[in-house]
């Protein structure tokens, strides 16, 4: 009983110390409160995978449960999701990244929710280019055909206007896609990218800041790494 009381007192003391720490932090370290705005409600069963914000503030969202890319307009009087493109030769979309203003790369594949795998040889990256700032129509073209043996191409990140980084979750590697040649012949392997034994998916999201690439596991944050 005495041991339990001591442990409880120690935990309480740590909690008080933590509260005092956050209370004494300067204002710029404290998370600000931002208003929450309802944008759009998709039907039940819709799996929204990733988001990208256009320069105009319009939001693009990829759907994994269908091969579709939608456009959302926050603050609009009429709430709607406008279909930008249906990638009919695939079953779903994963990551999206902006390469130049209003030009995006999207990765599509034939993903099975039943098996949690992608059909070999079905993955590709497409360019989605909007001709002007508020355009709701885009020009879509194939830019990179990913290798047949890619696992699940998930997160995308822009290294420069021509090179796209692709996180392969089950393989635990980063693929390098060249939109000029349409090839993806190089991979970046790092032990921390590999799937942990307790949670099979490995590297997931990617972010590039200058020449530093940060990556995210479902289980942990990894990085930074020099790109």
């Amino acid at each position: 009983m005495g041991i339990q009381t001591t442990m409880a007192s120690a935990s309480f003391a740590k909690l008080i110390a933590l509260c005092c720490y956050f209370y004494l932090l300067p204002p710029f370290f404290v998370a600000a409160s931002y208003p929450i705005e309802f944008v759009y409600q998709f039907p039940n069963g819709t799996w929204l995978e990733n988001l990208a914000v256009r320069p105009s503030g319009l939001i693009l969202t990829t759907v994994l449960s269908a091969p579709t890319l939608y456009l959302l307009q926050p603050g609009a009087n009429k709430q709607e999701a406008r279909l930008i493109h249906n990638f009919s030769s695939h079953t779903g979309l994963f990551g999206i990244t902006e390469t130049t203003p209003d030009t995006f790369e999207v990765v599509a594949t034939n993903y099975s929710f039943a098996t949690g795998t992608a059909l070999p040889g079905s993955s590709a990256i497409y360019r989605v280019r909007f001709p002007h700032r508020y355009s709701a129509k885009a020009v879509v073209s194939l830019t990179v055909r990913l290798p047949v043996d890619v696992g699940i191409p998930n997160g995308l990140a822009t290294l420069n206007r021509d090179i796209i980084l692709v996180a392969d979750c089950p393989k635990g590697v980063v693929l390098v896609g060249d939109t000029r040649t349409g090839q993806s012949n190089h991979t970046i392997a790092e032990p921390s990218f590999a799937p942990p034994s307790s949670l099979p998916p490995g590297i997931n999201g990617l972010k590039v800041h200058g020449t530093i690439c940060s990556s995210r596991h479902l289980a942990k944050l990894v990085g930074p790494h020099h790109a």
Side-chain angles (χ1 to χ4, degrees):
M1 190 69 175
I3 294 176
Q4 292 177 345
T5 303
T6 302
M7 291 178 63
S9 300
S11 299
F12 182 71
K14 290 179 181 178
L15 177 61
I16 293 298
L18 185 63
C19 291
C20 291
Y21 170 76
F22 283 110
Y23 178 78
L24 295 173
L25 280 177
F28 53 85
F29 280 115
V30 180
S33 296
Y34 294 98
I36 298 175
E37 176 187 340
F38 177 80
V39 177
Y40 183 77
Q41 176 69 54
F42 283 85
N44 289 340
T46 304
W47 184 304
L48 302 181
E49 176 61 21
N50 217 318
L51 300 176
V53 180
R54 294 177 57 186
S56 61
L58 300 175
I59 300 172
L60 293 169
T61 179
T62 62
V63 181
L64 183 57
S65 52
T68 48
L69 178 68
Y70 283 97
L71 181 71
L72 307 174
Q73 183 179 353
N77 293 328
K78 182 182 179 182
Q79 296 161 345
E80 63 177 349
R82 181 169 295 187
L83 178 65
I84 296 299
H85 191 74
N86 187 320
F87 298 80
S88 57
S89 58
H90 303 275
T91 64
L93 309 181
F94 274 101
I96 181 172
T97 184
E98 188 175 29
T99 53
T100 58
D102 256 343
T103 298
F104 300 83
E105 302 288 338
V106 177
V107 64
T109 191
N110 288 359
Y111 179 77
S112 169
F113 282 94
T115 63
T117 60
L119 181 68
S122 68
S123 303
I125 299 175
Y126 292 84
R127 176 169 295 152
V128 179
R129 183 178 62 82
F130 293 91
H132 57 82
R133 184 178 177 86
Y134 293 101
S135 176
K137 294 183 179 181
V139 178
V140 179
S141 58
L142 174 67
T143 50
V144 179
R145 179 66 68 179
L146 294 175
V148 173
D149 62 348
V150 67
I152 298 175
N154 198 321
L156 295 186
T158 300
L159 186 60
N160 57 51
R161 62 182 300 155
D162 300 313
I163 303 299
I164 305 298
L165 303 180
V166 186
D168 187 337
C169 286
K171 295 291 184 68
V173 299
V174 173
L175 290 84
V176 180
D178 190 332
T179 61
R180 296 167 300 182
T181 64
Q183 302 297 314
S184 179
N185 299 324
H186 302 284
T187 58
I188 303 170
E190 204 331 293
S192 59
F193 294 168
S197 57
S198 59
L199 188 62
I203 187 170
N204 192 308
L206 291 172
K207 293 294 181 184
V208 173
H209 303 279
T211 60
I212 302 297
C213 176
S214 296
S215 55
R216 183 178 295 276
H217 266 212
L218 288 179
K220 60 183 178 179
L221 181 67
V222 183
H225 302 274
H226 285 277

